């Protein structure tokens, strides 16, 4: 197994031939921008708590289909107005992108909805909290490097902190199955993008993944919720759908895939621990009760894990 990481999957580092301040400034910027983008992206994902209550009575698949349709249109316009050409996938790249869309965007939502019907929401949250470990172990292998022991240890710390934030919960066998499905799908959102991220870039991966997911979700909505599902949305649902489409999809996806390309999936995966933290903080800002001591202890553990992982340089 080679230990050389493809250029698109590691943070840029100055080469021996670099000279002048311009050659040293950009690598430094990329080194701190990767963690920053990952943290902001996952905080936006955690902000879904702000709209979950508003959309509780809305048709799930119709909302998600509309969300990803709007996101695809915005991403296409971003590419056009910034002068970028829309990258066209080739051959097997379509399979990887379909995998990203169907696991990370479609089946993930199914797992969450069906999971909370058989288990307490905290159980699903705990399953998602284990994503950093999967990314730390499997992500480097897809990038043709070995897992970094320190990053794996940091991922375990982050997972423990996220579990403390989300708490435990009661479940049955079906609930555990859906929790496992949710875990695999959440990891698939990142891992299946690695083989195509280098050539298509964050914009290309995001655009193609969301339109494929939109097509699948429209089919699910029409067959399970009926043709009138979208028409049942009310005025108060509109801002929530816009937030999901623009903030949680367009901005968060672009930031996340950019971060994965700069610092690698293992180190970026540590920031998935930010999701339950952002959800807990968002709940307080929305007038919810202040979390207990165990939640704040979990937040501190997540921070320690992230700092520990970031002190490990990218593997060449």
């Amino acid at each position: 197994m080679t230990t050389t990481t493809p250029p698109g999957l590691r943070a840029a580092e100055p080469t021996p031939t670099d000279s002048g301040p311009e050659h040293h400034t950009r690598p430094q910027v990329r080194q701190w921008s990767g963690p920053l983008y990952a943290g902001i992206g996952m905080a936006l994902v955690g902000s879904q708590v702000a709209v979950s209550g508003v959309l509780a009575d809305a048709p799930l698949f119709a909302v998600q289909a509309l969300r990803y349709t709007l996101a695809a249109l915005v991403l296409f316009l971003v590419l056009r107005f910034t002068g970028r050409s829309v990258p066209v996938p080739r051959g097997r790249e379509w399979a990887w992108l379909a995998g990203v869309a169907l696991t990370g965007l479609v089946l993930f939502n199914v797992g969450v909805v069906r999971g909370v019907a058989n288990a307490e929401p905290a159980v699903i949250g705990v399953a998602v909290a284990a994503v950093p470990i999967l990314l730390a172990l499997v992500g480097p292998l897809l990038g043709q490097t070995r897992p970094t022991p320190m990053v794996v240890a940091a991922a375990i710390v982050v997972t423990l902190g996220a579990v403390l934030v989300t708490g435990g919960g009661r479940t049955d066998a079906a609930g555990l199955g859906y929790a496992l499905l949710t875990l695999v799908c959440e990891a698939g959102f990142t891992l299946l993008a690695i083989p195509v991220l280098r050539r298509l870039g964050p914009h290309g991966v995001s655009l193609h993944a969301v339109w494929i997911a939109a097509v699948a979700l429209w089919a699910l909505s029409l067959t399970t919720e009926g043709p009138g599902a979208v028409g049942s949305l009310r005025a108060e649902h509109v801002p929530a759908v816009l937030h999901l489409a623009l903030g949680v999809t367009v901005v968060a996806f672009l930031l996340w895939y950019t971060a994965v390309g700069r610092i690698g999936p293992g180190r970026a995966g540590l920031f998935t621990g930010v999701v339950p933290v952002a959800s807990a903080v968002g709940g307080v800002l929305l007038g919810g009760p202040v979390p207990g001591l165990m939640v704040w202890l979990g937040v501190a553990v997540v921070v320690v894990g992230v700092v520990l992982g970031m002190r490990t340089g990218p593997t060449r």
Side-chain angles (χ1 to χ4, degrees):
M1 180 184 295
T2 178
T3 57
T4 301
T5 309
L9 295 177
R10 67 168 180 241
E13 297 178 359
T15 63
T17 57
D18 289 341
S19 61
E22 69 276 7
H23 292 287
H24 297 280
T25 301
R26 187 174 179 182
Q28 293 175 357
V29 171
R30 288 171 65 89
Q31 287 174 1
W32 66 257
S33 63
L36 177 64
Y37 290 169
I40 295 175
M42 290 298 100
L44 286 170
V45 173
S47 71
Q48 291 185 85
V49 69
V51 301
S52 59
V54 178
L55 296 171
D57 61 341
L60 171 70
F61 295 133
V63 166
Q64 297 300 324
L66 183 59
R67 162 194 179 179
Y68 290 125
T69 300
L70 292 174
L73 291 174
V74 172
L75 285 166
F76 177 77
L77 291 176
V78 168
L79 286 171
R80 297 292 293 178
F81 285 128
T82 56
R84 295 186 178 94
S85 59
V86 178
V88 179
R90 306 169 184 163
R92 294 181 181 179
E93 290 177 343
W94 283 110
W96 290 111
L97 291 168
V100 172
L102 297 179
T103 60
L105 306 183
V106 178
L107 283 178
F108 176 80
N109 285 298
V110 174
V112 170
V113 173
R114 297 292 182 262
V116 296
N118 293 274
E120 293 182 3
V123 174
I124 307 301
V126 170
V128 175
V131 168
I133 298 177
L134 271 182
L135 296 185
L137 290 173
V138 182
L141 298 179
L142 292 175
Q144 298 182 357
T145 65
R146 296 185 179 92
T148 305
M150 186 61 72
V151 174
V152 175
I156 294 174
V157 173
V158 169
T159 295
L160 292 175
V163 169
L164 289 175
V165 173
T166 56
R170 295 184 300 273
T171 183
D172 55 18
L176 289 175
Y178 282 117
L180 179 60
L181 174 66
T182 303
L183 166 63
V184 173
C185 289
E186 179 68 7
F189 173 73
T190 299
L191 296 176
L192 296 177
I194 293 175
V196 295
L197 185 58
R198 178 181 175 184
R199 195 183 76 82
L200 299 181
H203 291 80
V205 173
S206 299
L207 173 61
H208 291 296
V210 296
W211 77 253
I212 294 172
V215 172
L217 285 162
W218 280 122
L220 280 174
S221 177
L222 290 173
T223 55
T224 62
E225 298 168 339
V230 175
S232 67
L233 297 177
R234 301 189 301 274
E236 58 266 28
H237 294 148
V238 175
V241 173
L242 290 176
H243 175 70
L244 289 177
L246 302 180
V248 183
T249 303
V250 174
V251 178
F253 282 23
L254 292 178
L255 289 175
W256 177 250
Y257 283 134
T258 301
V260 170
R262 292 188 178 184
I263 62 177
R267 298 169 80 214
L270 300 175
F271 289 89
T272 59
V274 173
V275 174
V277 174
S279 299
V281 173
V284 174
L285 295 177
L286 291 174
V290 177
L293 178 61
M294 292 301 292
V295 172
W296 295 115
L297 176 61
V299 171
V301 173
V302 168
V303 172
V304 170
V306 171
V307 172
L308 181 66
M310 288 300 103
R311 293 185 63 180
T312 304
T315 301
R316 276 183 138 352

